[in-house]
Amino acid sequence: MTKSILVINGPNLNLLGTREPDIYGAETLADIKDRMTEKAASLDLEVDFRQSNIEGEIVGWIQDARGRHDAIVINAGALTHTSVAIMDALLAVGIPTVEVHLSNIFKREEFRHHSYISSVAVGMITGFGSAGYLMAVDAVKNIVK
Ligand code: CA2
């Protein structure tokens, strides 16, 4: 049966392709969604791709993922560095999670070096731009096979 990936994008990622292309690339989030969906389909995986600027909405999506999705791919944006609530929700549902960042968070400001997501994720892909989302599809395929 086709497995399903919930892809969660956090605050400001809806601005991709419009500002700061030197850091985050020129592609829009819709471009990333299309490429990821195509790659997933080639591996017999389904993608439910979402973005929210609201922490509580993301927590709700994670809670509702139980029984609906087999893996989570998350770029929590700035909430990566602040949200105990997202970490707790991921812990509570226990769905295998892959953390993705466009930029290499360890090459940037000190406050971006700590991630609350990492402690509950299977692993993290950081610094490969939008290609990281495609790498995450491969990672999920390995995890759920
Ligand atoms: O590198 C990443 O993917 C980040 O998760 C992006 C977050 C940042 O706070 C994290 O430290 C690392 C920021 C997302 C904001 O995206 C924008 C895109 C275009 C223009 C402005 C912001």
Side-chain angles (χ1 to χ4, degrees), residues 127-139:
F128 297 99
S130 59
Y133 284 78
L134 304 183
M135 294 174 191
V137 174
D138 279 324

Side-chain angles (χ1 to χ4, degrees), residues 9-21 23-25 27 74-81 99-105 108-109 111-114 125-127 129 133:
N9 294 280
N12 296 310
L13 286 160
N14 54 313
L15 298 177
L16 274 183
T18 65
R19 293 189 188 95
E20 301 188 72
I23 304 177
Y24 298 120
E27 270 180 300
I74 184 164
N75 181 351
L79 293 172
T80 302
H81 317 297
E99 179 177 6
V100 172
H101 297 287
L102 294 156
S103 61
N104 180 347
I105 60 171
R108 301 185 65 193
E109 303 95 321
F111 68 85
R112 296 187 203 272
H113 295 184
H114 177 262
I125 299 163
T126 187
Y133 284 78

Side-chain angles (χ1 to χ4, degrees), residues 32-106:
I32 295 174
K33 175 186 176 178
D34 289 349
R35 289 174 62 209
M36 200 178 181
T37 304
E38 194 179 304
K39 161 122 195 173
S42 76
L43 295 173
D44 192 26
L45 295 167
E46 253 168 32
V47 161
D48 180 347
F49 194 96
R50 306 183 195 179
Q51 188 275 331
S52 177
N53 293 324
I54 303 165
E55 183 176 16
E57 188 169 34
I58 293 172
V59 169
W61 288 344
I62 295 167
Q63 290 180 4
D64 291 346
R66 190 182 258 152
R68 292 196 168 102
H69 300 285
D70 303 289
I72 293 174
V73 171
I74 184 164
N75 181 351
L79 293 172
T80 302
H81 317 297
T82 62
S83 183
V84 176
I86 291 177
M87 179 186 74
D88 282 348
L90 290 169
L91 255 183
V93 297
I95 297 172
T97 297
V98 177
E99 179 177 6
V100 172
H101 297 287
L102 294 156
S103 61
N104 180 347
I105 60 171
F106 301 106

